[in-house]
Amino acid sequence: MAETDRPAVERPGPFHTPAPVESRLDNGLRVLTFQRPGQHVASVGLVLDLPLILEPRDREGVATLCVRTLDEGTRTHPSATFAEVLEDQGAVMSGSAGYGATTLGLSVAAREEPFAAALALFAEAVLEPEFGEDEVARQREIRIAQYEQQQVQPAQRATAALRETLIDKRYRASRPAGGTTATVSSVTAVDVRAFHADHYVPHLATLVVAGDFSFDPLPAIRAAFGCWSGPHVARPAHESPDGGAPSVLVIDRPGAVQADVRYGWRTIDRTDHRWASLQVACYALGGAFLSRLNAVLREEKGYTYGVHLTTGPGRHGALSVVQGSFRSEVAADAIGMIQPLIDVSSRPFTSGEVDSAVTFITGVTPLRLATADGLVDQVATLAAVDLPLSFVDDYLAALADVTPASATEAAVALLPPKGGTLVVVGDAATLVPTLTEQGWAVTVQDAED
Amino acid sequence: MRCGFLGRMTPSLDYPLYARTLANGLRVQVNPDHAAPIVAVNLWYDVGSRDEEPGHTGFAHLFEHVMFQGSAHVASGEHLTLMQNAGGSVNATTWFDRTNYFETIPVGALDLALWLEADRLSSLADALTTENFENQRDVVKEEKRQRYDNQPYGDAIERIIALAFPQGHPYAHTTIGSMADLDASTVEDALAFFKRHYVPGVAVLTLVGDIEPDEAFAKAERYFGTIPAVARPLRPEAPPLPPIAGVPREVVTAKVPQDAVYAIWRLPARGTREFDSVDLALTVLGGGQTSRIYRALVRDGGLAETAGAAAMPLIGGTSFGYAFARALNGVDAARLEAAFVAAIELFLVDGPTEQEVARAKVQYEREWLGELASFDSRADLFGAFQTLLGDATLVNTRIADFAEITPSEVLAAAQKYLQPDQRAVLTYLKEADHG
């Protein structure tokens, strides 16, 4: 017989985020380096303060094509030779153009020789990309194919449709970050070059580097990025989108075996004093394995593989979204259960729920920051919304102050059960009669539209 | 942690690893690493979908879900909740060759984690109810719908392995299984599966993190030591299969965004130098932007949105590998297939260049070091190598072992295993264009 007494848990000691060495190059580039013992793969992130509102309305997607074509040839290493020399170092580049910032990444062994060589190539891609006609044309075709793929992939379609429905159409954030077939089709190499020349500037960028370095990485960073120059443009403005009125949209996929459900609100970003309380509320409602939503819809009813409520913050505001996919026959019932399950005015959060949320979030923070990749990702995510890494310590302190009352208050104000926007991608013939009975004023759209 | 590099291309890793086997057969291994006050707990059970009986496909994975439904001293769902409440991340996965359970936690929760794992290994049968079992069967069916049935190309893996392996072969069905078999499964089946496969002698417990070996072994003994030894189930021999013959084809017309093609080959079992050689060949052919297939189809050919190749390592006699491409608008599947077959034929004649092989190795090195960067994935690799190959220290020598493979070995392995007439072909045609 094994031991029957359940062991107690010793709570971890206080956690402090690692401190970077911070410097600024003469061209204004901010540099944050972290020495992380045991991390033999160095991670590099470059964050550009580059909101997508800077894209021309009829060329949306130009920022994405710019990122994707950066490593398709430089003046020094034209066309495919660039990928060859980069891969010869065992390095890999990544990048994405988000609504608020463009983030580029590099991963390479943390030894001096490959690190310095790969970083020089990374800088080459940022500073002097070739943007060949053929390369841009190919990335344009690939982006269009991916957009069309996303349209038929039900989870991605639902997420995009929620964004489009929830955010007022005046705002860039209501539309796909990578553009649509209509806007991407008109982007040329000339557009990409102009976009790069205007917006890839060192004084609006932050470089983050982490790894187990047996050498000082700063000289390699200076050598790679010191000669970067660009127009002295002002720091860009960022949009602060409003939500529209709550609405209900069903995108019809006849015969679909599941319905992908999104129920969302415009909420608050990290700078709001209620942020920690909202995070606790989201965890208790739809983050924990036995959250209020998952305990019933998965573990009791078996309607879904999993249902979650998460908040994705931007620079100004956030989207908080309940999401899950449910088999078609029970999806409308499941949707009908979401509102009562998240209604905390009649069932306020308990101290047990708050304590669980706080210990979970506090406990996984060191896990997330333990690798070079995880650390750079966190620093870059915060830099993209102009927050320092010390935000994490402030957030952990704020979590400790969350009470059942403050979490309940945040949920009541920010996640009103009847105040969300509903998007469902699934078989309309099965879903709509029950949804209508439940009182939802449903608009149906064909998936092909 | 120590890590010394012997040269540019042949770093030799030296993660210290301590191992002990308990009297009941449970193998315990410890990699102390004090970089953070965290410990990764990882249990590999040597049972996967290859061990499922006919008519019971999907059972190993369904059983993985059942393992979270409580045991003698743990309520349903409580394992996950206790670990999350301790500030840990926790999950489990099932694949052809394994079922692994893992939690990464602040070190102060290690005793609780080990106690939870031991409680379900020793007493899951005491707590399992028909209601819990049927609920998890529903959840697994939703997982199948979400990840496979309701996705464009979501059934590709099922069709690929059905082409790669003969009917009834242990690898011929997917880990998620069939709806019919899931529907037919009962709580009695679950109990029988547990009794047969969940015994200390098939498990490897790996701890990586802020703990010393002696303390770790004492804890393992304390929580697992009293679980009785039970004979390991015998697994039938799985002799290597001959190459695929006759280029079998499956053509699927479906609601997919674009035509797509997969070519499939049988490969040697994992853990062999020949598998690693053909893995390198597939990397040169289809791993990354500089690979032959990517160049021919995506970069130069303008035929495909994406294209590549990869090997899927399996321990039971035969692995498989595949090349794939997804068409751009207006390009049909036959052109894609012809283009990557041409690239492969050229490769089989000329072989890889020194530089291509060096590039593939150095990319592998970064990926391998990246896998070892976090405690949880490092623990999983130690568990995998001990379970499947009987030697976790191969994790430390892996990069050096790879570095020894020569371009001529890569060519020889490719010529032996990647001949065009040894392939099977899976084609997806877009419904709107092809009726």
Side-chain angles (χ1 to χ4, degrees):
Chain A
M1 192 60 225
E3 290 234 3
T4 55
D5 288 347
R6 182 175 293 188
V9 172
E10 263 177 63
R11 289 222 176 185
F15 172 76
H16 298 288
T17 48
V21 175
E22 179 159 359
S23 52
R24 200 175 274 279
L25 304 193
D26 292 343
N27 57 14
L29 176 67
R30 190 163 72 116
V31 178
L32 306 172
T33 62
F34 294 86
Q35 169 64 23
R36 302 302 290 156
Q39 294 297 304
H40 303 303
V41 179
S43 183
V44 179
L46 181 70
V47 183
L48 299 159
D49 185 359
L50 177 39
L52 294 184
I53 53 171
L54 294 173
E55 292 181 320
R57 176 67 184 88
D58 61 350
R59 300 280 197 282
E60 285 178 357
V62 65
T64 292
L65 293 189
C66 184
V67 167
R68 292 185 178 179
T69 320
L70 284 176
D71 63 350
E72 296 251 350
T74 63
R75 284 204 293 275
T76 311
H77 293 97
S79 192
T81 57
F82 181 80
E84 288 173 11
V85 290
L86 187 73
E87 289 188 15
D88 283 343
Q89 297 301 330
V92 63
M93 263 181 74
S94 59
S96 68
Y99 292 103
T102 281
T103 304
L104 306 171
L106 174 75
S107 184
V108 62
R111 300 192 304 279
E112 187 162 12
E113 186 197 332
F115 175 80
L119 193 73
L121 291 167
F122 182 59
E124 218 179 276
V126 176
L127 271 61
E128 43 144 323
E130 204 178 17
F131 294 130
E133 301 280 345
D134 290 349
E135 281 76 12
V136 171
R138 184 175 63 258
Q139 290 299 338
R140 185 171 60 218
E141 291 312 303
I142 290 172
R143 168 58 201 157
I144 290 168
Q146 285 173 349
Y147 174 73
E148 286 166 6
Q149 161 92 359
Q150 284 161 5
Q151 291 293 97
V152 296
Q153 207 284 338
Q156 292 178 16
R157 180 70 181 269
T159 296
L162 179 74
R163 183 171 273 285
E164 195 183 332
T165 313
L166 192 52
I167 299 175
D168 192 288
K169 296 197 184 334
R170 284 175 297 157
Y171 297 104
R172 178 65 182 89
S174 70
R175 300 184 293 276
T180 63
T181 301
T183 60
V184 172
S185 298
S186 50
V187 177
T188 64
V190 173
D191 297 322
V192 175
R193 284 177 207 139
F195 189 82
H196 175 267
D198 290 347
H199 302 301
Y200 277 53
V201 292
H203 66 283
L204 297 181
T206 301
L207 185 75
V208 191
V209 176
D212 189 348
F213 301 112
S214 61
F215 55 95
D216 178 3
L218 208 53
I221 293 168
R222 278 209 193 86
F225 284 97
C227 58
W228 187 7
S229 63
H232 271 274
V233 290
R235 199 160 269 284
H238 289 257
E239 66 180 6
S240 182
D242 301 321
S247 60
V248 183
L249 175 67
V250 172
I251 297 176
D252 188 19
R253 287 181 80 224
V257 294
Q258 275 188 332
D260 279 80
V261 175
R262 302 288 183 274
Y263 189 59
W265 305 259
R266 277 294 296 172
T267 61
I268 54 170
D269 60 66
R270 297 176 183 87
T271 61
D272 191 290
H273 71 279
R274 297 166 295 177
W275 176 251
S277 290
L278 176 65
Q279 290 299 97
V280 167
C282 287
Y283 182 82
L285 292 173
F289 179 68
L290 290 185
S291 68
R292 292 189 182 188
L293 285 163
N294 208 49
V296 173
L297 294 174
R298 171 179 151 133
E299 289 297 289
E300 188 187 317
K301 300 284 184 187
Y303 284 174
T304 179
Y305 180 43
V307 54
H308 306 281
L309 166 54
T310 53
T311 295
R315 184 180 286 242
H316 298 299
L319 295 186
S320 294
V321 183
V322 174
Q323 61 176 63
S325 34
F326 305 87
R327 66 177 173 275
S328 297
E329 311 87 80
V330 300
D333 283 347
I335 292 165
M337 294 173 74
I338 291 173
Q339 291 181 344
L341 283 170
I342 62 173
D343 184 358
V344 296
S345 56
S346 55
R347 237 181 101 205
F349 291 118
T350 65
S351 55
E353 285 178 309
V354 171
D355 195 45
S356 294
V358 171
T359 50
F360 174 76
I361 299 169
T362 309
V364 296
T365 300
L367 302 186
R368 220 179 46 237
L369 301 181
T371 61
D373 258 353
L375 179 61
V376 167
D377 186 57
Q378 177 69 80
V379 177
T381 300
L382 290 171
V385 295
D386 203 23
L387 286 172
L389 182 60
S390 61
F391 168 81
V392 174
D393 291 331
D394 299 342
Y395 172 50
L396 293 177
L399 275 173
D401 293 335
V402 174
T403 63
S406 74
T408 302
E409 210 173 291
V412 167
L414 299 167
L415 312 171
K418 292 187 185 303
T421 282
L422 177 68
V423 169
V424 186
V425 178
D427 183 69
T430 309
L431 297 163
V432 172
T434 315
L435 290 177
T436 306
E437 254 171 55
Q438 289 172 4
W440 302 92
V442 179
T443 303
V444 178
Q445 181 188 321
D446 193 302
E448 311 283 320
D449 292 349
Chain B
M1 186 190 319
R2 294 158 304 188
C3 181
F5 293 106
L6 301 176
R8 173 67 189 85
M9 292 290 299
T10 55
S12 168
L13 292 164
D14 194 10
Y15 289 104
L17 191 67
Y18 303 86
R20 188 170 292 178
T21 302
L22 304 191
N24 59 17
L26 177 72
R27 288 156 289 170
V28 184
Q29 41 185 15
V30 185
N31 166 220
D33 186 333
H34 304 292
I38 292 167
V39 62
V41 176
N42 184 296
L43 262 167
W44 261 62
Y45 287 92
D46 186 8
V47 55
S49 59
R50 68 167 164 158
D51 297 302
E52 292 161 350
E53 307 281 331
H56 290 79
T57 64
F59 213 81
H61 169 250
L62 173 55
F63 192 80
E64 171 217 311
H65 280 246
V66 169
M67 283 282 273
F68 290 95
Q69 291 301 303
S71 45
H73 308 97
V74 181
S76 175
E78 202 182 15
H79 184 119
L80 279 155
T81 300
L82 287 170
M83 290 290 89
Q84 290 183 334
N85 287 356
S89 70
V90 48
N91 214 333
T93 73
T94 308
W95 196 233
F96 297 98
D97 290 331
R98 66 141 193 275
T99 313
N100 56 352
Y101 299 83
F102 42 91
E103 35 266 313
T104 308
I105 42 179
V107 71
L110 175 59
D111 281 88
L112 179 60
L114 294 173
W115 179 83
L116 286 165
E117 291 293 358
D119 200 61
R120 62 184 175 185
L121 174 57
S122 64
S123 67
L124 180 119
D126 299 358
L128 185 58
T129 65
T130 305
E131 191 191 349
N132 284 349
F133 175 79
E134 289 179 350
N135 165 267
Q136 287 307 304
R137 193 176 60 191
D138 283 345
V139 169
V140 166
K141 285 162 69 177
E142 289 315 299
E143 180 178 358
K144 176 168 157 60
R145 291 188 179 104
Q146 183 175 333
R147 295 172 65 173
Y148 302 89
D149 301 348
N150 204 34
Q151 300 293 336
Y153 316 106
D155 55 359
I157 180 72
E158 184 179 349
R159 296 178 188 280
I160 285 169
I161 60 176
L163 284 164
F165 298 99
Q167 205 182 357
H169 188 278
Y171 293 138
H173 67 272
T174 56
T175 302
I176 196 75
S178 77
M179 280 294 187
D181 287 357
L182 289 171
D183 278 330
S185 62
T186 65
V187 69
E188 288 75 26
D189 294 332
L191 290 169
F193 193 87
F194 176 68
K195 235 176 130 176
R196 180 171 165 77
H197 292 292
Y198 280 76
V199 300
V202 306
V204 172
L205 170 66
T206 306
L207 303 180
V208 173
D210 192 12
I211 181 144
E212 285 303 314
D214 286 347
E215 195 189 352
F217 292 132
K219 287 182 194 294
E221 180 66 43
R222 177 172 174 196
Y223 295 110
F224 288 88
T226 53
I227 301 172
V230 179
R232 290 186 65 153
L234 287 178
R235 180 180 279 132
E237 284 286 304
L241 296 169
I244 295 170
V247 193
R249 286 176 181 274
E250 176 163 18
V251 179
V252 183
T253 302
K255 281 183 187 166
V256 292
Q258 300 298 341
D259 287 3
V261 182
Y262 297 79
I264 302 127
W265 293 268
R266 289 182 190 153
L267 305 181
R270 78 179 284 177
T272 59
R273 187 154 165 143
E274 215 174 23
F275 175 83
D276 290 343
S277 301
V278 77
D279 189 7
L280 276 170
L282 284 166
T283 302
V284 171
L285 279 166
Q289 283 190 65
T290 63
S291 69
R292 302 271 185 109
I293 288 173
Y294 186 90
R295 284 177 200 220
L297 274 76
V298 180
R299 203 189 64 207
D300 301 337
L303 302 173
E305 170 206 343
T306 176
M312 174 62 69
L314 296 169
I315 196 68
T318 310
S319 304
F320 69 92
Y322 58 93
F324 70 96
R326 193 154 70 210
L328 281 173
N329 262 330
V331 176
D332 72 20
R335 267 185 81 193
L336 287 186
E337 186 184 347
F340 70 57
V341 167
I344 293 165
E345 279 174 336
L346 188 65
F347 180 88
L348 294 179
V349 175
D350 295 349
T353 64
E354 290 272 354
Q355 195 176 15
E356 282 177 319
V357 173
R359 193 179 290 145
K361 286 177 181 175
V362 76
Q363 290 288 336
Y364 187 86
E365 177 196 325
R366 175 185 42 75
E367 287 166 17
W368 192 251
L369 292 174
E371 287 287 306
L372 294 168
S374 70
F375 291 0
D376 52 345
S377 57
R378 194 192 309 158
D380 198 60
L381 285 175
F382 283 132
F385 276 70
Q386 185 61 47
T387 304
L388 299 176
L389 301 168
D391 186 359
T393 65
L394 291 169
V395 169
N396 279 331
T397 58
R398 184 83 183 127
I399 295 172
D401 292 346
F402 236 71
E404 282 179 10
I405 297 169
T406 64
S408 59
E409 278 178 278
V410 173
L411 176 59
Q415 287 172 336
K416 185 169 168 188
Y417 291 102
L418 299 178
Q419 292 294 341
D421 64 357
Q422 296 171 342
R423 78 187 191 278
V425 182
L426 169 62
T427 304
Y428 283 92
L429 301 178
K430 187 177 168 180
E431 198 166 65
D433 296 351
H434 300 274

